[in-house]
Coordinates of all heavy atoms in Angstrom, one line a residue:
A1 N 0.8 -1.2 0.0 CA 0.0 0.0 0.0 C 0.9 1.3 0.0 O 0.5 2.2 -0.7 CB -0.9 0.0 1.2
D2 N 2.0 1.2 0.7 CA 2.8 2.4 0.8 C 3.5 2.7 -0.6 O 3.5 3.9 -1.0 CB 3.9 2.3 1.9 CG 4.8 1.1 1.6 OD1 4.4 0.1 1.1 OD2 6.0 1.2 2.0
R3 N 3.8 1.7 -1.3 CA 4.4 1.9 -2.6 C 3.4 2.4 -3.6 O 3.6 3.3 -4.4 CB 5.0 0.5 -3.1 CG 5.5 0.5 -4.5 CD 6.7 1.4 -4.7 NE 7.1 1.3 -6.1 CZ 8.0 2.1 -6.7 NH1 8.6 3.0 -5.9 NH2 8.3 2.0 -7.9
L4 N 2.2 1.8 -3.5 CA 1.1 2.3 -4.4 C 0.8 3.8 -4.2 O 0.6 4.5 -5.1 CB -0.1 1.4 -4.2 CG -1.4 1.8 -5.1 CD1 -1.1 1.7 -6.6 CD2 -2.5 0.9 -4.7
E5 N 0.7 4.1 -2.9 CA 0.4 5.5 -2.5 C 1.5 6.5 -3.1 O 1.2 7.5 -3.6 CB 0.3 5.6 -1.0 CG -0.1 7.0 -0.5 CD -0.1 7.1 1.0 OE1 -0.6 6.1 1.6 OE2 0.2 8.2 1.5
Q6 N 2.7 6.1 -3.0 CA 3.8 6.9 -3.4 C 3.8 7.1 -5.0 O 3.9 8.2 -5.4 CB 5.2 6.2 -3.1 CG 6.4 6.9 -3.7 CD 7.6 6.0 -3.9 OE1 7.6 4.9 -3.5 NE2 8.5 6.5 -4.6
V7 N 3.5 6.0 -5.7 CA 3.5 6.1 -7.2 C 2.3 6.9 -7.6 O 2.4 7.7 -8.5 CB 3.5 4.7 -7.8 CG1 3.2 4.7 -9.3 CG2 4.9 4.0 -7.5
A8 N 1.1 6.7 -7.0 CA -0.1 7.4 -7.3 C 0.1 8.9 -7.1 O -0.3 9.7 -7.9 CB -1.3 6.9 -6.5
K9 N 0.7 9.3 -6.0 CA 0.9 10.7 -5.7 C 1.9 11.3 -6.6 O 1.7 12.4 -7.1 CB 1.4 10.8 -4.2 CG 1.5 12.2 -3.7 CD 1.8 12.2 -2.2 CE 1.8 13.7 -1.7 NZ 2.1 13.7 -0.3
Q10 N 3.0 10.6 -6.9 CA 4.1 11.1 -7.7 C 3.7 11.4 -9.1 O 4.0 12.3 -9.8 CB 5.3 10.1 -7.7 CG 6.5 10.6 -8.5 CD 7.7 9.8 -8.4 OE1 7.7 8.9 -7.5 NE2 8.7 10.0 -9.2
Y11 N 2.8 10.5 -9.7 CA 2.4 10.6 -11.1 C 1.0 11.0 -11.3 O 0.6 11.2 -12.5 CB 2.7 9.2 -11.8 CG 4.1 8.8 -11.8 CD1 4.6 7.9 -10.9 CD2 5.0 9.4 -12.7 CE1 6.0 7.6 -10.9 CE2 6.4 9.1 -12.7 CZ 6.8 8.2 -11.8 OH 8.2 7.9 -11.8
G12 N 0.3 11.2 -10.3 CA -1.1 11.7 -10.4 C -2.1 10.7 -11.0 O -3.1 11.0 -11.5
I13 N -1.8 9.4 -10.7 CA -2.6 8.3 -11.2 C -3.6 7.9 -10.1 O -3.4 8.3 -8.9 CB -1.8 7.1 -11.7 CG1 -1.0 6.4 -10.6 CG2 -0.9 7.5 -12.9 CD1 -0.4 5.1 -11.0
R14 N -4.5 7.0 -10.4 CA -5.5 6.6 -9.4 C -5.0 5.3 -8.8 O -4.5 4.4 -9.5 CB -6.8 6.4 -10.0 CG -7.9 6.1 -8.9 CD -9.3 6.0 -9.6 NE -9.4 4.9 -10.5 CZ -9.7 3.6 -10.1 NH1 -9.8 3.3 -8.8 NH2 -9.8 2.7 -10.9
A15 N -5.0 5.1 -7.5 CA -4.7 3.9 -6.8 C -6.0 3.1 -6.7 O -7.0 3.5 -6.0 CB -4.2 4.2 -5.4
A16 N -6.1 2.0 -7.4 CA -7.3 1.2 -7.4 C -7.4 0.4 -6.1 O -6.4 0.1 -5.5 CB -7.3 0.2 -8.6
T17 N -8.6 0.1 -5.7 CA -8.8 -0.6 -4.4 C -8.6 -2.1 -4.5 O -8.3 -2.8 -3.5 CB -10.1 -0.3 -3.8 OG1 -11.1 -0.7 -4.7 CG2 -10.3 1.2 -3.4
S18 N -8.7 -2.7 -5.7 CA -8.5 -4.1 -5.8 C -8.1 -4.5 -7.3 O -8.4 -3.7 -8.2 CB -9.8 -4.9 -5.4 OG -10.8 -4.8 -6.5
N19 N -7.5 -5.6 -7.4 CA -7.1 -6.1 -8.7 C -8.3 -6.3 -9.6 O -8.3 -6.0 -10.8 CB -6.3 -7.4 -8.6 CG -4.9 -7.2 -8.0 OD1 -4.4 -6.1 -8.0 ND2 -4.3 -8.3 -7.6
R20 N -9.4 -6.9 -9.0 CA -10.6 -7.2 -9.8 C -11.2 -6.0 -10.3 O -11.7 -5.9 -11.4 CB -11.5 -8.1 -9.0 CG -11.1 -9.5 -8.8 CD -12.1 -10.2 -8.0 NE -11.5 -11.6 -7.7 CZ -12.2 -12.5 -7.1 NH1 -13.5 -12.3 -6.7 NH2 -11.7 -13.7 -6.9
E21 N -11.3 -5.0 -9.4 CA -11.9 -3.7 -9.8 C -11.1 -3.1 -11.0 O -11.7 -2.6 -12.0 CB -11.9 -2.7 -8.6 CG -12.3 -1.3 -9.0 CD -11.8 -0.3 -7.9 OE1 -11.6 -0.6 -6.8 OE2 -11.7 0.9 -8.3
L22 N -9.8 -3.1 -10.9 CA -9.0 -2.5 -11.9 C -9.2 -3.2 -13.2 O -9.4 -2.6 -14.3 CB -7.5 -2.6 -11.5 CG -6.5 -2.0 -12.5 CD1 -5.5 -1.2 -11.7 CD2 -5.9 -3.1 -13.3
V23 N -9.2 -4.5 -13.2 CA -9.3 -5.3 -14.5 C -10.7 -5.1 -15.1 O -10.9 -4.9 -16.3 CB -9.1 -6.8 -14.2 CG1 -9.5 -7.6 -15.4 CG2 -7.6 -7.0 -13.9
A24 N -11.8 -5.0 -14.2 CA -13.1 -4.8 -14.7 C -13.3 -3.5 -15.4 O -14.1 -3.4 -16.4 CB -14.1 -4.9 -13.6
E25 N -12.6 -2.4 -15.0 CA -12.8 -1.1 -15.6 C -11.8 -0.7 -16.7 O -12.0 0.2 -17.4 CB -12.8 -0.1 -14.5 CG -11.5 0.2 -13.8 CD -11.6 1.1 -12.7 OE1 -12.6 1.3 -12.1 OE2 -10.5 1.8 -12.4
A26 N -10.7 -1.4 -16.7 CA -9.6 -1.1 -17.7 C -9.8 -1.6 -19.1 O -10.4 -2.7 -19.3 CB -8.3 -1.6 -17.2
D27 N -9.4 -0.8 -20.1 CA -9.4 -1.3 -21.5 C -8.2 -2.1 -21.8 O -8.2 -3.0 -22.6 CB -9.5 -0.1 -22.4 CG -10.7 0.7 -22.2 OD1 -11.8 0.2 -22.3 OD2 -10.6 2.0 -22.0
V28 N -7.0 -1.7 -21.1 CA -5.8 -2.3 -21.3 C -5.2 -2.6 -19.9 O -5.2 -1.8 -19.0 CB -4.8 -1.4 -22.0 CG1 -3.4 -2.0 -22.1 CG2 -5.3 -1.0 -23.4
V29 N -4.8 -3.9 -19.7 CA -4.2 -4.2 -18.4 C -2.7 -4.6 -18.6 O -2.4 -5.5 -19.4 CB -5.0 -5.4 -17.7 CG1 -4.3 -5.8 -16.4 CG2 -6.4 -5.0 -17.5
I30 N -1.8 -4.0 -17.8 CA -0.4 -4.3 -17.9 C -0.1 -5.2 -16.6 O -0.4 -4.8 -15.5 CB 0.4 -3.0 -17.8 CG1 0.0 -2.0 -18.9 CG2 1.9 -3.4 -17.9 CD1 0.5 -2.2 -20.2
L31 N 0.5 -6.3 -16.9 CA 0.9 -7.2 -15.8 C 2.3 -6.9 -15.4 O 3.2 -7.2 -16.1 CB 0.7 -8.7 -16.2 CG -0.7 -9.1 -16.6 CD1 -0.6 -10.5 -17.2 CD2 -1.6 -9.1 -15.4
A32 N 2.5 -6.2 -14.3 CA 3.8 -5.8 -13.9 C 4.1 -6.3 -12.5 O 4.5 -5.6 -11.6 CB 3.8 -4.2 -13.9
V33 N 4.0 -7.6 -12.4 CA 4.3 -8.3 -11.1 C 5.4 -9.3 -11.3 O 5.7 -9.7 -12.4 CB 3.0 -9.0 -10.5 CG1 1.9 -8.0 -10.2 CG2 2.5 -10.1 -11.4
K34 N 6.0 -9.7 -10.2 CA 7.1 -10.6 -10.3 C 6.6 -12.0 -10.7 O 5.4 -12.4 -10.4 CB 7.8 -10.7 -8.9 CG 8.4 -9.4 -8.5 CD 9.4 -9.6 -7.3 CE 10.0 -8.3 -6.9 NZ 11.0 -7.8 -7.8
P35 N 7.4 -12.7 -11.4 CA 6.9 -14.0 -12.0 C 6.4 -15.0 -10.9 O 5.4 -15.7 -11.1 CB 8.2 -14.6 -12.7 CG 9.0 -13.4 -13.0 CD 8.7 -12.4 -11.9
Q36 N 7.0 -15.0 -9.7 CA 6.6 -15.9 -8.7 C 5.2 -15.7 -8.1 O 4.6 -16.5 -7.5 CB 7.7 -16.0 -7.6 CG 7.9 -14.7 -6.9 CD 9.1 -13.9 -7.4 OE1 9.4 -14.0 -8.6 NE2 9.8 -13.2 -6.6
I37 N 4.7 -14.5 -8.3 CA 3.3 -14.2 -7.9 C 2.3 -14.1 -9.0 O 1.1 -13.8 -8.8 CB 3.2 -13.0 -6.9 CG1 3.6 -11.7 -7.7 CG2 4.1 -13.2 -5.7 CD1 3.2 -10.4 -6.9
M38 N 2.7 -14.2 -10.2 CA 1.9 -14.0 -11.4 C 0.7 -15.0 -11.4 O -0.5 -14.5 -11.6 CB 2.7 -14.3 -12.7 CG 1.9 -14.0 -13.9 SD 1.4 -12.3 -14.2 CE 2.9 -11.6 -14.7
S39 N 0.9 -16.2 -11.1 CA -0.3 -17.2 -11.1 C -1.4 -16.8 -10.1 O -2.6 -16.9 -10.4 CB 0.2 -18.6 -11.0 OG 0.6 -18.8 -9.7
G40 N -1.0 -16.3 -8.9 CA -1.9 -15.9 -7.9 C -2.7 -14.7 -8.3 O -3.9 -14.6 -8.1

């Protein structure tokens, strides 16, 4: 949460409350997670 808040504030983007919410509303989804947590 602290990292998300920092990036959202620095770039003026929105911090989504959940992965599902983000995917449901996005037209394009970028998977930017480490390989070991990708399947989850």
Side-chain angles (χ1 to χ4, degrees):
D2 61 327
R3 173 66 179 172
L4 179 59
E5 182 180 326
Q6 174 208 349
V7 171
K9 187 174 183 178
Q10 182 173 350
Y11 296 101
I13 66 169
R14 188 174 68 79
T17 57
S18 76
N19 290 341
R20 288 181 185 186
E21 170 200 336
L22 182 136
V23 169
E25 69 185 27
D27 297 308
V28 177
V29 177
I30 310 277
L31 301 170
V33 298
K34 295 193 181 289
Q36 60 267 30
I37 65 167
M38 182 67 73
S39 68

